[in-house]
C-alpha cells in the first residue's frame, strides 16, 4: 500500500511539502514583492558587473580622489580616486557570495544534525544539543571574530567562520520542526504500515519541512551579510583591494567630515540588502505557514 495519504490536520497529501497557494499570492504580499525586487536588482547588477560598471573598480586616479557624487562619478570617488558606484556594484558579488556559501554550508550541517537529534533522540540528541548549547553560549559575532582570529583574515576564512557560527541556529530550529513532524498522524500511520526510519524521513519529514528551510535560509542570509560586513569593518574579513561594503565603511571613517559619501553609500547598500532578505523571509513565512490566515 502506498504511503501517500491525506493528512487531515494539514489538509494536504503527506509527502508533499509546499501548500497549495492561490495564484499570485506571493506577488500580492508586499514583503515578498519589495524584498524580491531589491534582491533581484542586487543579483542582476552583480552578475552584470563587468558590463554595467562605469569604471574599473580597481583603477586609481589620485587627481580625482574624494570627489563628491555627481558628474561622471555618480556616487563620487574614494580616497584613491576609485569610482564608488563601480566598487559598490562589484561589492554586491562578495555580499551575495557570503550569503550563499555560508547559508548552504550551515544548512547542510544544521539540517543533518537537527534531523538526527530530533528524529532519533536518545544519547545522540543529548550529545548534539549540548554541543549546540555550548556554541550558543557565545555571542554570534564574538564567535565569528574568534574563529577568524584563529584562521586568519581573508574571504575564504571569513566564509568558514560565518558558516560555522550559523550551524547552531539551524540545528535548534530544525530539531524542533522534526519533533513536530515526527508526532504527526501521517508519520505514525507510515510507521504502522512498516515504513523504516529513513523511508519516513525521506518521504515525509524532509519534504514537509521545506517551507521552514526556505524561510530560515532567507533570514540567515541577512545575518551572514551583517556579520561579514562587521568582520570586514574590523579588518578581519575581505582584504583590500577587493571591493567589499564593510571594508568600504571602515576606509571611509577617516573622511567623514570631508567626504561622508564614503560611508553613507556602502552603509545604505548593506542596510538595503539586509532589509530585503529580512522582509522577504517574513513574507515567505506568512505565505508558507499553514497556521497563518492570508
Amino acid at each position: 500500500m502506498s504511503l501517500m495519504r491525506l493528512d487531515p490536520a494539514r489538509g494536504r497529501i503527506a509527502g508533499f511539502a509546499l501548500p497549495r497557494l492561490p495564484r499570485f499570492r506571493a506577488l500580492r504580499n508586499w514583503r515578498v514583492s519589495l524584498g524580491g525586487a531589491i534582491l533581484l536588482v542586487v543579483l542582476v547588477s552583480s552578475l552584470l558587473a563587468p558590463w554595467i560598471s562605469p569604471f574599473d573598480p580597481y583603477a586609481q586616479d589620485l587627481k580625482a580622489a574624494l570627489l563628491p557624487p555627481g558628474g561622471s562619478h555618480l556616487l563620487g570617488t574614494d580616497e584613491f580616486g576609485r569610482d564608488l558606484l563601480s566598487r559598490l556594484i562589484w561589492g554586491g558579488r562578495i555580499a551575495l557570495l557570503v550569503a550563499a556559501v555560508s547559508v548552504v554550508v550551515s544548512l547542510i550541517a544544521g539540517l543533518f544534525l537537527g534531523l538526527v537529534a530530533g528524529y532519533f533522540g536518545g544519547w545522540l540528541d543529548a550529545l548534539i544539543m549540548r554541543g549546540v548549547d555550548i556554541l550558543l553560549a557565545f555571542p554570534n559575532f564574538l564567535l565569528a571574530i574568534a574563529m577568524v582570529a584563529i584562521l586568519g583574515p581573508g574571504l575564504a576564512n571569513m566564509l568558514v567562520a560565518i558558516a560555522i557560527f550559523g550551524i547552531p541556529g539551524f540545528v535548534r530550529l530544525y530539531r524542533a520542526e522534526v519533533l513536530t513532524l515526527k508526532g504527526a498522524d501521517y508519520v505514525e500511520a507510515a510507521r504502522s504500515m512498516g515504513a523504516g526510519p529513513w523511508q519516513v524521513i525521506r518521504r515525509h519529514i524532509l519534504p514537509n519541512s521545506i517551507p521552514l528551510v526556505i524561510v530560515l535560509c532567507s533570514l540567515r542570509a541577512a545575518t551572514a551579510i551583517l556579520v561579514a560586513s562587521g568582520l570586514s569593518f574590523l579588518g578581519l574579513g575581505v582584504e583590500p583591494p577587493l571591493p567589499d561594503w564593510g571594508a568600504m565603511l571602515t576606509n571611509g571613517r577617516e573622511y567623514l567630515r570631508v567626504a561622508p559619501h564614503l560611508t553613507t553609500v556602502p552603509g545604505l547598500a548593506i542596510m538595503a540588502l539586509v532589509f530585503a532578505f529580512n522582509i522577504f523571509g517574513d513574507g515567505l513565512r506568512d505565505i508558507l505557514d499553514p497556521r497563518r490566515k492570508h
Side-chain angles (χ1 to χ4, degrees):
M1 184 180 294
S2 172
L3 295 178
M4 308 298 289
R5 291 183 174 274
L6 179 64
D7 174 18
R10 294 179 176 246
R12 61 187 180 198
I13 301 297
F16 289 90
L18 296 177
R20 297 179 180 179
L21 303 175
R23 187 173 297 179
F24 304 128
R25 171 176 289 174
L27 296 179
R28 292 202 303 267
N29 187 296
W30 71 269
R31 295 181 179 87
V32 173
S33 299
L34 179 58
I38 297 174
L39 294 177
L40 183 62
V41 169
V42 176
L43 177 61
V44 171
S45 62
S46 299
L47 293 176
L48 300 179
W51 296 277
I52 66 175
S53 297
F55 296 92
D56 183 347
Y58 301 101
Q60 298 183 14
D61 183 7
L62 296 180
K63 295 181 180 179
L66 300 179
L67 289 179
S72 59
H73 299 281
L74 293 179
L75 296 180
T77 60
D78 64 8
E79 68 274 21
F80 296 108
R82 297 174 297 195
D83 183 66
L84 211 58
L85 176 59
S86 300
R87 292 183 64 79
L88 193 73
I89 294 174
W90 281 86
R93 286 188 163 194
I94 295 179
L96 293 178
L97 176 66
V98 168
V101 173
S102 61
V103 166
V104 168
V105 174
S106 299
L107 175 68
I108 294 174
L111 261 59
F112 175 76
L113 294 175
L115 180 62
V116 171
Y119 191 84
F120 295 101
W123 67 270
L124 281 174
D125 182 24
L127 179 64
I128 293 173
M129 294 313 297
R130 295 300 76 75
V132 168
D133 290 339
I134 292 174
L135 291 177
L136 290 177
F138 298 93
N140 288 341
F141 191 64
L142 290 181
L143 182 61
I145 290 177
M147 286 186 287
V148 172
I150 295 173
L151 298 173
L155 179 58
N157 292 339
M158 182 179 70
L159 290 174
V160 172
I162 296 175
I164 292 175
F165 104 84
I167 292 175
F170 272 106
V171 174
R172 171 165 285 187
L173 292 174
Y174 195 68
R175 173 183 176 271
E177 179 72 1
V178 171
L179 288 174
T180 301
L181 295 175
K182 180 182 175 182
D185 293 339
Y186 60 87
V187 173
E188 296 293 341
R191 288 200 194 110
S192 67
M193 289 187 291
W198 293 109
Q199 188 177 11
V200 171
I201 290 172
R202 179 176 59 86
R203 302 192 65 177
H204 300 284
I205 302 296
L206 290 177
N208 284 292
S209 63
I210 288 178
L212 173 70
V213 171
I214 294 175
V215 175
L216 281 179
C217 287
S218 177
L219 298 177
R220 178 55 60 176
T223 303
I225 292 172
L226 276 179
V227 173
S229 300
L231 291 174
S232 295
F233 183 80
L234 296 175
L236 298 174
V238 177
E239 297 179 305
L242 288 177
D244 176 74
W245 294 349
M248 292 166 65
L249 272 177
T250 192
N251 291 337
R253 287 184 304 168
E254 300 179 6
Y255 307 95
L256 279 174
R257 293 182 180 274
V258 296
H261 63 281
L262 295 186
T263 53
T264 302
V265 170
L268 289 176
I270 295 171
M271 183 190 71
L273 189 56
V274 171
F275 172 75
F277 271 117
N278 278 326
I279 64 170
F280 189 75
D282 286 342
L284 288 178
R285 181 188 58 194
D286 293 342
I287 294 172
L288 297 176
D289 191 343
R291 293 168 296 183
R292 291 176 174 266
K293 294 183 179 180
H294 302 288

